[in-house]
Coordinates of all heavy atoms in Angstrom, one line a residue:
I89 N -60.3 -33.4 28.4 CA -58.9 -33.4 27.8 C -57.9 -34.0 28.8 O -57.1 -34.8 28.4 CB -58.5 -32.0 27.5 CG1 -59.3 -31.5 26.3 CG2 -57.0 -31.8 27.2 CD1 -59.1 -30.0 25.9
A90 N -58.1 -33.7 30.1 CA -57.3 -34.3 31.1 C -57.4 -35.8 31.1 O -56.4 -36.5 31.3 CB -57.6 -33.7 32.5
Q91 N -58.6 -36.3 31.0 CA -58.9 -37.7 31.0 C -58.2 -38.3 29.8 O -57.6 -39.4 29.9 CB -60.4 -38.0 31.0 CG -60.8 -39.4 31.0 CD -62.3 -39.7 30.9 OE1 -63.0 -38.7 30.7 NE2 -62.7 -40.9 30.9
G92 N -58.3 -37.7 28.6 CA -57.7 -38.2 27.4 C -56.2 -38.2 27.5 O -55.6 -39.2 27.1
R93 N -55.6 -37.1 28.1 CA -54.2 -37.1 28.2 C -53.7 -38.2 29.2 O -52.7 -38.9 28.9 CB -53.7 -35.8 28.8 CG -52.3 -35.5 28.7 CD -51.9 -34.1 29.4 NE -52.7 -33.0 28.9 CZ -52.3 -32.3 27.8 NH1 -51.2 -32.7 27.1 NH2 -53.0 -31.3 27.4
L94 N -54.5 -38.5 30.2 CA -54.0 -39.5 31.2 C -54.2 -40.9 30.5 O -53.3 -41.8 30.7 CB -55.0 -39.4 32.4 CG -54.7 -40.5 33.5 CD1 -53.3 -40.4 34.0 CD2 -55.7 -40.3 34.6
A95 N -55.2 -41.0 29.6 CA -55.3 -42.3 28.9 C -54.2 -42.6 28.0 O -53.7 -43.7 27.8 CB -56.7 -42.3 28.2
I96 N -53.7 -41.5 27.3 CA -52.6 -41.6 26.4 C -51.3 -42.0 27.2 O -50.5 -42.9 26.8 CB -52.3 -40.3 25.7 CG1 -53.4 -40.1 24.6 CG2 -50.9 -40.3 24.9 CD1 -53.3 -38.7 23.9
E97 N -51.1 -41.4 28.3 CA -50.0 -41.7 29.2 C -50.0 -43.1 29.7 O -48.9 -43.7 29.9 CB -49.9 -40.7 30.4 CG -49.5 -39.2 29.9 CD -49.6 -38.3 31.0 OE1 -50.0 -38.7 32.1 OE2 -49.4 -37.1 30.8
S98 N -51.2 -43.6 29.8 CA -51.4 -45.0 30.3 C -51.4 -46.0 29.2 O -51.7 -47.2 29.4 CB -52.7 -45.1 31.1 OG -52.7 -44.2 32.2
K99 N -51.2 -45.5 28.0 CA -51.3 -46.2 26.7 C -52.6 -46.9 26.5 O -52.7 -47.9 25.8 CB -50.2 -47.3 26.7 CG -48.7 -46.8 26.9 CD -47.7 -47.8 26.7 CE -46.3 -47.2 27.0 NZ -46.0 -46.1 26.2
N100 N -53.7 -46.3 27.1 CA -55.0 -46.7 26.7 C -55.6 -45.9 25.6 O -56.4 -45.0 25.8 CB -55.9 -46.6 28.0 CG -57.2 -47.2 27.8 OD1 -57.7 -47.6 26.8 ND2 -58.0 -47.4 28.9
Y101 N -55.0 -46.2 24.4 CA -55.3 -45.3 23.3 C -56.7 -45.3 22.8 O -57.3 -44.3 22.4 CB -54.3 -45.7 22.1 CG -52.9 -45.5 22.5 CD1 -52.0 -46.6 22.5 CD2 -52.4 -44.3 22.9 CE1 -50.7 -46.5 22.9 CE2 -51.1 -44.1 23.3 CZ -50.2 -45.2 23.3 OH -48.9 -45.1 23.7
P102 N -57.4 -46.5 22.8 CA -58.8 -46.5 22.4 C -59.7 -45.5 23.3 O -60.5 -44.8 22.9 CB -59.2 -47.9 22.6 CG -58.0 -48.7 22.4 CD -57.0 -47.9 23.1
L103 N -59.5 -45.6 24.6 CA -60.2 -44.7 25.5 C -59.8 -43.2 25.2 O -60.8 -42.4 25.2 CB -59.9 -45.0 27.0 CG -60.5 -44.0 28.0 CD1 -62.0 -44.0 28.0 CD2 -60.0 -44.4 29.5
A104 N -58.6 -43.0 25.0 CA -58.2 -41.6 24.7 C -58.8 -41.1 23.5 O -59.4 -40.0 23.4 CB -56.6 -41.6 24.6
A105 N -58.9 -41.9 22.4 CA -59.5 -41.6 21.2 C -61.0 -41.3 21.3 O -61.5 -40.3 20.8 CB -59.2 -42.6 20.1
S106 N -61.6 -42.1 22.1 CA -63.0 -41.9 22.3 C -63.4 -40.6 23.0 O -64.2 -39.8 22.6 CB -63.6 -43.1 23.2 OG -64.9 -42.9 23.5
V107 N -62.6 -40.3 24.1 CA -62.9 -39.1 24.9 C -62.5 -37.8 24.1 O -63.3 -36.9 24.1 CB -62.1 -39.1 26.2 CG1 -62.2 -37.8 26.9 CG2 -62.6 -40.3 27.1
L108 N -61.4 -37.9 23.4 CA -60.9 -36.7 22.8 C -61.8 -36.5 21.5 O -62.0 -35.3 21.1 CB -59.5 -36.9 22.4 CG -58.6 -36.9 23.6 CD1 -57.2 -37.5 23.2 CD2 -58.4 -35.6 24.2
S109 N -62.3 -37.5 20.8 CA -63.2 -37.3 19.7 C -64.4 -36.5 20.1 O -64.9 -35.7 19.3 CB -63.6 -38.7 19.1 OG -62.5 -39.3 18.6
Q110 N -65.0 -36.8 21.3 CA -66.1 -36.1 21.7 C -65.8 -34.6 22.0 O -66.6 -33.7 21.6 CB -66.6 -36.7 23.1 CG -67.1 -38.1 23.0 CD -67.5 -38.7 24.3 OE1 -67.8 -38.0 25.3 NE2 -67.4 -40.0 24.4

Side-chain angles (χ1 to χ4, degrees):
I89 289 173
Q91 182 184 1
R93 194 187 301 278
L94 182 61
I96 290 175
E97 292 172 356
S98 302
K99 301 187 185 306
N100 189 346
Y101 302 119
L103 174 61
S106 175
V107 172
L108 295 166
S109 294
Q110 294 177 26

